[in-house]
Amino acid sequence: MKLDKEESTVKRIHKTDHRNFPMVPRVVYGRGSFSQLADIILPMRKNSEAPFIFLVDDFFEGKQLEEQIPWLFNDQIIFISADEEPKTEQVDAIVQKLKDDFEELPSGIVGIGGGTLLDLSKAVAIMMANKGLAHQYQGWDLVQRPALYHVGVPTISGTGAEVSRTTVLSGPEKKLGINSDFTTFDQVVLDPDLTNTVPKEQWFYTGMDCFIHCIESLNGTYLNAFSQSYGEKALALCKEVFLGDLAAQESQEKLMMASWHGGMSIAYSQVGVAHAMSYGLSYVLGVKHGIGNCLVFQHLEDFYSDGVALFQQMLEKQEIDLPKEICKELSGHDFETMASIALSMEPLWENAIGKDWKEKISTEQLISIYKKI
Ligand code: NAD
Ligand code: ZN
């Protein structure tokens, strides 16, 4: 249809500003699909001198999965501990090692593990193709050049790091993601078998990250029909997994898909109060993401009353006792720091409460919540 001049001018004036974000272009799902990795990456091998680098959670060192990693030629497997969340300097050290070890750029990076290993792999793939140090890219859309081909293989479900366009890193000044169109994986392998060995408590904490993504997204002011459709599906799956009586395999499969949908839900919206406050806990006490979210979320009935009630039911049903008195020894200054880190996460508060959030939230209010943890 041809627009007349006046009409087309009107269209331009009303140009919208909706986000245009990338999704994972290729994904394979199914029990045993990890065995297809060799075939999947074969066409991406540039030549025998350009290796694939496998960054693998060191839980799997000496385990069966190690034998299934499809290495060839001079590929390298690097085992990495997930005891601590990823740091920018860790990314820089891996990148330097790879540059020292190989003359050619690798063909690609494969991350195998939980959110920690997935985030590290995304960041290494970006920094192998971009100048400078990782902390220079913490923020939004600072990455200039496409990352190396990178593949994500989650071994625990919940963070949504397998679908997101961010990689959360602690840097010298801040804990902040490298959010960019080049961060998202080129390929993801979803094999529920890989989650067989996850310990119960960790299963719960990382799974609750997904549940909290859903609650924060579905109750946020940024919500639109796109996010809602994913958030509602993920929430329904979480309820089946954590409140139902599913067989072990079905539960693993459903949680893996809940994680995916939960991640998709926040792509177009945002997380909220629990995540903002969990960043504060993590900064001061080094508390990890999943458990930190749980510790905060249990006290957020003023913000998410239905979600907190569901969470309490899940804790009971799964017989999880959250650690207590985590903040007992902290000083007044520590509490101030946690609150100020939390309050610096502006988009999260705006999503949770609305544009006038600064008038509705105070440092004292946050400190009183932290004191209950
Ligand atoms: P994790 O990767 O930190 O791992 C948690 C523990 O589970 C580790 O001890 C690990 O060794 C173990 N583990 C993982 N898979 C296992 C398996 N199959 N069997 C036995 N043990 C296993 O856990 P996580 O909760 O998935 O990730 C947390 C990280 O994800 C944080 O760094 C957080 O910042 C990040 N995150 C990123 C995003 C994103 O969009 N990029 C979103 C949420 C969280
Ligand atoms: Zn999260």
Side-chain angles (χ1 to χ4, degrees), residues 158-160 168 206 208-210 212-213 216 266 271 275 278-279 289-290 293:
T159 64
V168 185
T206 301
M208 283 302 107
D209 189 22
C210 174
I212 295 169
H213 290 160
E216 294 186 326
I266 44 176
V271 285
H275 275 75
S278 173
Y279 271 82
H289 188 81
N293 286 346

PDB file of all heavy atoms in Angstrom, residues 158-160 168 206 208-210 212-213 216 266 271 275 278-279 289-290 293, ligand 2:
ATOM      1  N   GLY A 158      17.676 -23.005  35.739  1.00  0.00           N
ATOM      2  CA  GLY A 158      17.025 -21.935  36.481  1.00  0.00           C
ATOM      3  C   GLY A 158      17.426 -20.528  36.096  1.00  0.00           C
ATOM      4  O   GLY A 158      16.574 -19.652  36.058  1.00  0.00           O
ATOM      5  N   THR A 159      18.709 -20.289  35.823  1.00  0.00           N
ATOM      6  CA  THR A 159      19.134 -18.889  35.657  1.00  0.00           C
ATOM      7  C   THR A 159      18.608 -18.246  34.375  1.00  0.00           C
ATOM      8  O   THR A 159      18.475 -17.031  34.314  1.00  0.00           O
ATOM      9  CB  THR A 159      20.670 -18.756  35.616  1.00  0.00           C
ATOM     10  OG1 THR A 159      21.145 -19.445  34.446  1.00  0.00           O
ATOM     11  CG2 THR A 159      21.324 -19.323  36.853  1.00  0.00           C
ATOM     12  N   GLY A 160      18.391 -19.062  33.346  1.00  0.00           N
ATOM     13  CA  GLY A 160      18.033 -18.478  32.048  1.00  0.00           C
ATOM     14  C   GLY A 160      19.247 -17.906  31.337  1.00  0.00           C
ATOM     15  O   GLY A 160      19.118 -17.302  30.270  1.00  0.00           O
ATOM     16  N   VAL A 168      26.760 -11.821  33.516  1.00  0.00           N
ATOM     17  CA  VAL A 168      26.926 -11.029  34.746  1.00  0.00           C
ATOM     18  C   VAL A 168      28.322 -11.260  35.331  1.00  0.00           C
ATOM     19  O   VAL A 168      28.692 -12.397  35.621  1.00  0.00           O
ATOM     20  CB  VAL A 168      25.860 -11.423  35.789  1.00  0.00           C
ATOM     21  CG1 VAL A 168      25.948 -10.520  37.009  1.00  0.00           C
ATOM     22  CG2 VAL A 168      24.452 -11.373  35.193  1.00  0.00           C
ATOM     23  N   THR A 206      18.829 -22.686  42.517  1.00  0.00           N
ATOM     24  CA  THR A 206      18.914 -22.235  41.118  1.00  0.00           C
ATOM     25  C   THR A 206      17.521 -22.277  40.482  1.00  0.00           C
ATOM     26  O   THR A 206      17.165 -21.392  39.697  1.00  0.00           O
ATOM     27  CB  THR A 206      19.944 -23.078  40.334  1.00  0.00           C
ATOM     28  OG1 THR A 206      21.213 -22.946  40.970  1.00  0.00           O
ATOM     29  CG2 THR A 206      20.084 -22.617  38.895  1.00  0.00           C
ATOM     30  N   MET A 208      14.749 -21.706  42.046  1.00  0.00           N
ATOM     31  CA  MET A 208      14.025 -20.539  42.565  1.00  0.00           C
ATOM     32  C   MET A 208      14.437 -19.255  41.841  1.00  0.00           C
ATOM     33  O   MET A 208      13.675 -18.291  41.805  1.00  0.00           O
ATOM     34  CB  MET A 208      14.245 -20.382  44.076  1.00  0.00           C
ATOM     35  CG  MET A 208      13.452 -21.342  44.916  1.00  0.00           C
ATOM     36  SD  MET A 208      11.664 -21.236  44.668  1.00  0.00           S
ATOM     37  CE  MET A 208      11.385 -22.724  43.750  1.00  0.00           C
ATOM     38  N   ASP A 209      15.648 -19.236  41.279  1.00  0.00           N
ATOM     39  CA  ASP A 209      16.023 -18.066  40.480  1.00  0.00           C
ATOM     40  C   ASP A 209      14.993 -17.921  39.355  1.00  0.00           C
ATOM     41  O   ASP A 209      14.493 -16.827  39.087  1.00  0.00           O
ATOM     42  CB  ASP A 209      17.445 -18.260  39.922  1.00  0.00           C
ATOM     43  CG  ASP A 209      18.000 -17.012  39.277  1.00  0.00           C
ATOM     44  OD1 ASP A 209      17.506 -15.903  39.595  1.00  0.00           O
ATOM     45  OD2 ASP A 209      18.931 -17.132  38.455  1.00  0.00           O
ATOM     46  N   CYS A 210      14.650 -19.035  38.738  1.00  0.00           N
ATOM     47  CA  CYS A 210      13.651 -19.018  37.663  1.00  0.00           C
ATOM     48  C   CYS A 210      12.290 -18.581  38.196  1.00  0.00           C
ATOM     49  O   CYS A 210      11.634 -17.699  37.624  1.00  0.00           O
ATOM     50  CB  CYS A 210      13.568 -20.401  37.032  1.00  0.00           C
ATOM     51  SG  CYS A 210      12.266 -20.533  35.820  1.00  0.00           S
ATOM     52  N   ILE A 212      11.608 -16.780  40.744  1.00  0.00           N
ATOM     53  CA  ILE A 212      11.633 -15.350  41.100  1.00  0.00           C
ATOM     54  C   ILE A 212      11.668 -14.479  39.826  1.00  0.00           C
ATOM     55  O   ILE A 212      11.041 -13.423  39.778  1.00  0.00           O
ATOM     56  CB  ILE A 212      12.780 -15.065  42.091  1.00  0.00           C
ATOM     57  CG1 ILE A 212      12.494 -15.815  43.411  1.00  0.00           C
ATOM     58  CG2 ILE A 212      12.949 -13.567  42.344  1.00  0.00           C
ATOM     59  CD1 ILE A 212      13.650 -15.864  44.408  1.00  0.00           C
ATOM     60  N   HIS A 213      12.366 -14.947  38.787  1.00  0.00           N
ATOM     61  CA  HIS A 213      12.301 -14.209  37.500  1.00  0.00           C
ATOM     62  C   HIS A 213      10.841 -14.052  37.067  1.00  0.00           C
ATOM     63  O   HIS A 213      10.411 -12.981  36.633  1.00  0.00           O
ATOM     64  CB  HIS A 213      13.050 -14.953  36.382  1.00  0.00           C
ATOM     65  CG  HIS A 213      14.529 -14.951  36.553  1.00  0.00           C
ATOM     66  ND1 HIS A 213      15.356 -15.872  35.918  1.00  0.00           N
ATOM     67  CD2 HIS A 213      15.355 -14.159  37.286  1.00  0.00           C
ATOM     68  CE1 HIS A 213      16.604 -15.634  36.268  1.00  0.00           C
ATOM     69  NE2 HIS A 213      16.633 -14.609  37.091  1.00  0.00           N
ATOM     70  N   GLU A 216       8.857 -11.615  39.400  1.00  0.00           N
ATOM     71  CA  GLU A 216       9.271 -10.220  39.222  1.00  0.00           C
ATOM     72  C   GLU A 216       8.874  -9.680  37.846  1.00  0.00           C
ATOM     73  O   GLU A 216       8.526  -8.507  37.708  1.00  0.00           O
ATOM     74  CB  GLU A 216      10.781 -10.089  39.446  1.00  0.00           C
ATOM     75  CG  GLU A 216      11.138 -10.387  40.902  1.00  0.00           C
ATOM     76  CD  GLU A 216      12.587 -10.134  41.244  1.00  0.00           C
ATOM     77  OE1 GLU A 216      13.463 -10.342  40.380  1.00  0.00           O
ATOM     78  OE2 GLU A 216      12.849  -9.734  42.380  1.00  0.00           O
ATOM     79  N   ILE A 266      12.195 -12.336  30.970  1.00  0.00           N
ATOM     80  CA  ILE A 266      12.862 -11.091  31.420  1.00  0.00           C
ATOM     81  C   ILE A 266      13.604 -10.389  30.289  1.00  0.00           C
ATOM     82  O   ILE A 266      14.003  -9.249  30.434  1.00  0.00           O
ATOM     83  CB  ILE A 266      13.790 -11.280  32.638  1.00  0.00           C
ATOM     84  CG1 ILE A 266      14.649 -12.513  32.514  1.00  0.00           C
ATOM     85  CG2 ILE A 266      13.016 -11.264  33.934  1.00  0.00           C
ATOM     86  CD1 ILE A 266      15.626 -12.671  33.654  1.00  0.00           C
ATOM     87  N   VAL A 271      13.903  -7.871  35.956  1.00  0.00           N
ATOM     88  CA  VAL A 271      13.677  -8.459  37.269  1.00  0.00           C
ATOM     89  C   VAL A 271      13.302  -7.326  38.243  1.00  0.00           C
ATOM     90  O   VAL A 271      13.061  -6.203  37.803  1.00  0.00           O
ATOM     91  CB  VAL A 271      14.908  -9.279  37.729  1.00  0.00           C
ATOM     92  CG1 VAL A 271      14.960 -10.596  36.979  1.00  0.00           C
ATOM     93  CG2 VAL A 271      16.191  -8.499  37.583  1.00  0.00           C
ATOM     94  N   HIS A 275      16.022  -9.323  43.111  1.00  0.00           N
ATOM     95  CA  HIS A 275      17.312  -9.281  42.413  1.00  0.00           C
ATOM     96  C   HIS A 275      18.124  -8.060  42.808  1.00  0.00           C
ATOM     97  O   HIS A 275      19.329  -8.155  43.028  1.00  0.00           O
ATOM     98  CB  HIS A 275      17.104  -9.341  40.893  1.00  0.00           C
ATOM     99  CG  HIS A 275      16.984 -10.733  40.374  1.00  0.00           C
ATOM    100  ND1 HIS A 275      15.849 -11.483  40.545  1.00  0.00           N
ATOM    101  CD2 HIS A 275      17.869 -11.537  39.736  1.00  0.00           C
ATOM    102  CE1 HIS A 275      16.031 -12.678  40.011  1.00  0.00           C
ATOM    103  NE2 HIS A 275      17.263 -12.745  39.522  1.00  0.00           N
ATOM    104  N   SER A 278      19.434  -8.730  46.232  1.00  0.00           N
ATOM    105  CA  SER A 278      20.370  -9.846  46.211  1.00  0.00           C
ATOM    106  C   SER A 278      21.763  -9.386  45.718  1.00  0.00           C
ATOM    107  O   SER A 278      22.798  -9.872  46.180  1.00  0.00           O
ATOM    108  CB  SER A 278      19.798 -10.942  45.308  1.00  0.00           C
ATOM    109  OG  SER A 278      20.704 -11.970  45.107  1.00  0.00           O
ATOM    110  N   TYR A 279      21.765  -8.415  44.814  1.00  0.00           N
ATOM    111  CA  TYR A 279      23.058  -7.848  44.366  1.00  0.00           C
ATOM    112  C   TYR A 279      23.799  -7.231  45.550  1.00  0.00           C
ATOM    113  O   TYR A 279      25.016  -7.359  45.670  1.00  0.00           O
ATOM    114  CB  TYR A 279      22.836  -6.788  43.276  1.00  0.00           C
ATOM    115  CG  TYR A 279      22.811  -7.337  41.868  1.00  0.00           C
ATOM    116  CD1 TYR A 279      21.675  -7.904  41.330  1.00  0.00           C
ATOM    117  CD2 TYR A 279      23.941  -7.279  41.061  1.00  0.00           C
ATOM    118  CE1 TYR A 279      21.638  -8.408  40.044  1.00  0.00           C
ATOM    119  CE2 TYR A 279      23.936  -7.776  39.770  1.00  0.00           C
ATOM    120  CZ  TYR A 279      22.770  -8.342  39.267  1.00  0.00           C
ATOM    121  OH  TYR A 279      22.763  -8.838  37.996  1.00  0.00           O
ATOM    122  N   HIS A 289      24.015 -16.023  43.673  1.00  0.00           N
ATOM    123  CA  HIS A 289      22.779 -15.475  43.086  1.00  0.00           C
ATOM    124  C   HIS A 289      21.507 -16.211  43.527  1.00  0.00           C
ATOM    125  O   HIS A 289      20.565 -15.600  44.022  1.00  0.00           O
ATOM    126  CB  HIS A 289      22.939 -15.533  41.566  1.00  0.00           C
ATOM    127  CG  HIS A 289      21.861 -14.852  40.808  1.00  0.00           C
ATOM    128  ND1 HIS A 289      21.829 -13.503  40.610  1.00  0.00           N
ATOM    129  CD2 HIS A 289      20.754 -15.345  40.198  1.00  0.00           C
ATOM    130  CE1 HIS A 289      20.760 -13.184  39.905  1.00  0.00           C
ATOM    131  NE2 HIS A 289      20.083 -14.286  39.641  1.00  0.00           N
ATOM    132  N   GLY A 290      21.473 -17.530  43.350  1.00  0.00           N
ATOM    133  CA  GLY A 290      20.239 -18.280  43.611  1.00  0.00           C
ATOM    134  C   GLY A 290      19.828 -18.198  45.072  1.00  0.00           C
ATOM    135  O   GLY A 290      18.690 -17.818  45.406  1.00  0.00           O
ATOM    136  N   ASN A 293      18.839 -14.636  46.202  1.00  0.00           N
ATOM    137  CA  ASN A 293      17.468 -14.274  45.829  1.00  0.00           C
ATOM    138  C   ASN A 293      16.468 -14.869  46.814  1.00  0.00           C
ATOM    139  O   ASN A 293      15.500 -14.222  47.212  1.00  0.00           O
ATOM    140  CB  ASN A 293      17.138 -14.804  44.426  1.00  0.00           C
ATOM    141  CG  ASN A 293      17.817 -14.008  43.337  1.00  0.00           C
ATOM    142  OD1 ASN A 293      18.321 -12.920  43.575  1.00  0.00           O
ATOM    143  ND2 ASN A 293      17.826 -14.560  42.140  1.00  0.00           N
TER     144      ASN A 293
HETATM  145 ZN    ZN B   2      18.258 -14.291  38.492  1.00  0.00          ZN
END
